[in-house]
Structures are given as structure tokens and as C-alpha cells.
Amino acid sequence: MNNSTLAAKYERLYSAAGRMMWLQRGDSWRKEGKWPDHRRRAWLDLESVLADDPTYPPQAGGLSDPARHVISRRHPTEDRPLTFSEAAADWEARFKADPGTEFIDVDGFSRLAPFASVILPGSLYKDMGWIQYELDARVAPGRPACVIGDDAADLSLVLHEVADALRSPETGGEPTPHPGTAPWIARESVKVSDRPDLAEHYEHLRRAARRAAELIPSHAELRAARDFSVSRDILPTAATLVRLADDDNREVAWEKAPGADPGRHLVWGDSPELTELKDEAATWREHLRSDGLPRTPVAPEPQPQWDGANPLLVMSKTRSLLYAEVLDELAARLYPGRSSGMIHYDGYWLTRALQSGVGYELRGLYWF
């Protein structure tokens, strides 16, 4: 088997295995007693093989690889890329330290403190909540390489505009450079198959993937046992993974909508309908025209009264800054011409934070 054929086999297997792990959602399977121990150990073994990366740790002064690192910012204390798992841990730590919305007393009345929170319209908050799922899907482990097209330009721009508004407690609303233009972003990713021990590692991955996938019960078995610990979403990918481990060369299906192009369309969700990135941008623009950008109180003011028709929500400074980073990361990834290789398994930890960690909490103010 020549190197290019082996690399293609490895990448198909890696993609399917990463997708299966991602689709399981949550970490309950890691806990003893949730799954049979042999299945839990098989999944942990597969995770260990997927996580192995000859490019780790990131080098000082090195470029940020969209397949392995967040690209909208660097490590907070060192001149090096920030890995997905490091970014997730940073978000979680900052969220846990959030003191909440700050109020002050003014003549016996409680008022929002100046430059300590953000007030935003409910329509925009809903858009922000849904768009987190898009970032989740785009940094999912095993997601294939793609290049972003020109149709993403306005969505990338509007996401950054909202991010700048969310940063207003710190910046006063002054615009910042678009994260997609950052000089530290690599033009090309290091392929997951670009490793000196490819042949040996392929065999490790093939064995671990087959074992982990074949231990997943069928839909009928799960239903008969009333077992809800296994996500039904993983069943087709697990079946594909077994066939790939047995040397099948079929491609791994990632997009639900026929004809979906990650360079032009949204990739999250179960709908068979295609949503173009430019159409999503138009929705955001419409809401901004009707309801406005987030703003920070510059003087003490009352908390907005609830209006079910046109709700205004208050977000703490910490939450608003975290949300700005989420939006800027997606803005950088949707910058026209952005090229990303297949997402490394480390992306799993960022998706975990977006699904059930800080992302869940950020969506928790209203209707999510």
C-alpha cells in the first residue's frame, strides 16, 4: 500500500471515529457503572489513540492551526497557539469565577453598575445561542477539511461586529481588528495523517476503532433494554466505522442536507434544508436593524423590565466577554478563503464545553 492510499484510509477511519465520539454527547459514558466496563475501556482506548498528536505541544512562536487550535486568540501568557482543550478549560475557569451582574445602590434603588454588564435584545440573544451550535459542528473531531467561500463574508463580519459590542464593558465599543486577519493563523493545516509512524498508528487506530464501534448495541437491542445511555445518533457512524476498519473505502457522511457545502452553508442541525451562510447573515442584519446591537450602561440605570414581545436581557461582563470570544472564533473560521484541515480530536473538548459546559450556561439566560 503506497503512502497516499494509506493516508486516505487513515483519514477516513479517523474522521468516522472522531464523529462517533462527538455524537455520543456528554461524558456520562466515562463514569463507572454507566456503561459495561469493557465498552467504556474500549472507548477510552480509542480516545487515547485519536488524541495522540506528534505536533503537540505547540511551539513558542508557532502558527495557530485551525485543525488543532483556536485561531481568534493566542495563549494568554505565552506567545504560542492555544489548543482547543486549553481554550475550553480557560472558558470554564473564567465562567466559574464570574461574580455575576454588578449592581450599585443609588438613593436606595438598585441600579446596574456602569461598564459592568451588557444589555441586549432577545432576538439577538437567540441568534447567538443557535450560532454556538455552528461552532460546535465546525470544530467537531474528524470534521473533514474545507475552504470557506466568499458567501461567508457578511456572516463573518456581523459576528465580529456583535462580538465588539459585547466587549464594550472593556473597550467602550471601540472596534477591534477582525480576527480572521490575524497574522498568526496558518494558511494550511498539518494533516492528521502526516506522522512518521503512520503505518503503525493506522493499525492501532483500526483495532481500537473496530473494538469501540462493534460494542455499540443495535437500535433494537437498545430499545429492548430501555437503554438511553447510548445516543441513537452514533449508530450509523458506528456501523460505518466497523466497515472502514474491515478495509471498506466508503466516505464518511457528515452533512445531513444533500448537497451541503461547509464553505457555503451552515453545517449544524438535523434539517435536510440547506441554509446559505449569506442568508444567515441577512437574518442577523434584520434583527440588528430592528432591535440594535448590545450596549453597556455608561451610567447607573435600572434593570430593564420584562417585555415578552421585545425582551431585553442583561448579561454580566464575564459572560459578555466569553460570548464575544465564541463569536469571534466562528468569525475567524468563516473568514473567506480560510482553509482548515481535518479537525484533530482535541476539538472534542471545545465541543464538550459548547454543548454542556460554559456554552450551555451562556444559552441559559433565556429560552435555550
Side-chain angles (χ1 to χ4, degrees):
M1 188 186 308
N2 62 43
N3 284 344
S4 61
T5 300
L6 179 60
K9 284 179 173 291
Y10 180 90
E11 290 179 9
R12 282 192 292 269
L13 195 61
Y14 193 101
S15 181
R19 178 172 170 79
M20 182 180 74
M21 301 289 287
W22 172 63
L23 286 174
Q24 173 56 28
R25 311 286 187 182
D27 283 341
S28 62
W29 63 268
R30 299 174 186 276
K31 301 174 183 176
E32 292 187 16
K34 290 292 185 180
W35 275 9
D37 198 51
H38 61 292
R39 187 198 304 159
R40 184 177 68 88
R41 288 198 306 269
W43 272 53
L44 289 172
D45 288 345
L46 174 58
E47 181 175 66
S48 177
V49 175
L50 289 169
D52 183 70
D53 184 4
T55 72
Y56 184 85
Q59 299 301 304
L63 296 176
S64 297
D65 183 343
R68 289 170 170 80
H69 312 125
V70 294
I71 57 174
S72 57
R73 61 191 185 108
R74 300 281 274 181
H75 190 277
T77 61
E78 304 171 30
D79 178 25
R80 67 168 177 84
L82 185 65
T83 66
F84 291 129
S85 51
E86 289 174 329
D90 175 61
W91 283 349
E92 297 285 357
R94 287 159 58 198
F95 183 82
K96 288 178 181 177
D98 180 13
T101 302
E102 183 181 346
F103 293 88
I104 60 173
D105 184 271
V106 179
D107 298 328
F109 295 94
S110 179
R111 296 290 184 258
L112 294 170
F115 297 103
S117 61
V118 164
I119 299 172
L120 66 161
S123 61
L124 181 60
Y125 183 66
K126 184 177 181 180
D127 291 337
M128 288 162 50
W130 292 129
I131 209 68
Q132 278 191 56
Y133 296 118
E134 183 69 14
L135 179 57
D136 169 33
R138 287 187 179 269
V139 298
R143 170 164 282 283
C146 80
V147 178
I148 301 299
D150 291 342
D151 286 352
D154 197 37
L155 182 55
S156 179
L157 184 61
V158 74
L159 290 172
H160 178 58
E161 290 172 7
V162 174
D164 267 349
L166 290 170
R167 274 189 289 268
S168 57
E170 279 200 344
T171 65
E174 289 296 316
T176 62
H178 192 289
T181 64
W184 57 69
I185 303 175
R187 292 180 179 272
E188 293 184 2
S189 295
V190 177
K191 295 181 178 181
V192 295
S193 60
D194 189 4
R195 50 187 308 141
D197 61 344
L198 179 60
E200 179 183 1
H201 203 262
Y202 170 73
E203 290 302 321
H204 289 328
L205 178 58
R206 189 174 66 83
R207 289 193 296 269
R210 194 184 202 294
R211 177 66 173 160
E214 69 183 3
L215 289 174
I216 297 301
S218 68
H219 193 284
E221 290 170 332
L222 291 170
R223 183 172 54 191
R226 296 184 179 181
D227 182 353
F228 300 101
S229 69
V230 175
S231 169
R232 274 45 174 184
D233 290 341
I234 75 171
L235 300 183
T237 303
T240 297
L241 191 53
V242 171
R243 290 192 289 268
L244 287 171
D246 286 340
D247 224 21
D248 193 306
N249 288 327
R250 72 188 62 210
E251 294 297 324
V252 182
W254 269 85
E255 317 307 340
K256 293 291 182 72
D261 175 1
R264 294 179 50 228
H265 303 108
L266 294 178
V267 297
W268 75 274
D270 296 324
S271 172
E273 300 296 323
L274 292 173
T275 300
E276 294 199 13
L277 296 172
K278 63 182 180 181
D279 292 336
E280 180 70 8
T283 298
W284 282 63
R285 293 290 184 197
E286 180 182 352
H287 290 161
L288 292 179
R289 280 193 297 269
S290 62
D291 300 329
L293 280 164
R295 65 176 183 85
T296 187
V298 297
E301 67 174 83
Q303 185 166 359
Q305 295 295 311
W306 178 256
D307 179 349
N310 297 289
L312 291 174
L313 300 146
V314 178
M315 185 178 288
S316 71
K317 178 179 176 179
T318 296
R319 286 180 183 240
S320 66
L321 294 177
L322 288 171
Y323 236 133
E325 290 179 11
V326 170
L327 296 184
D328 260 351
E329 181 63 23
L330 186 56
R333 289 181 175 276
L334 293 180
Y335 193 71
R338 173 71 61 237
S339 173
S340 173
M342 180 175 290
I343 302 296
H344 187 268
Y345 186 76
D346 200 54
Y348 173 90
W349 300 105
L350 195 65
T351 68
R352 176 177 171 271
L354 290 166
Q355 293 165 8
S356 56
V358 64
Y360 177 81
E361 296 293 342
L362 289 176
R363 295 189 298 272
L365 284 178
Y366 182 48
W367 73 49
F368 288 98

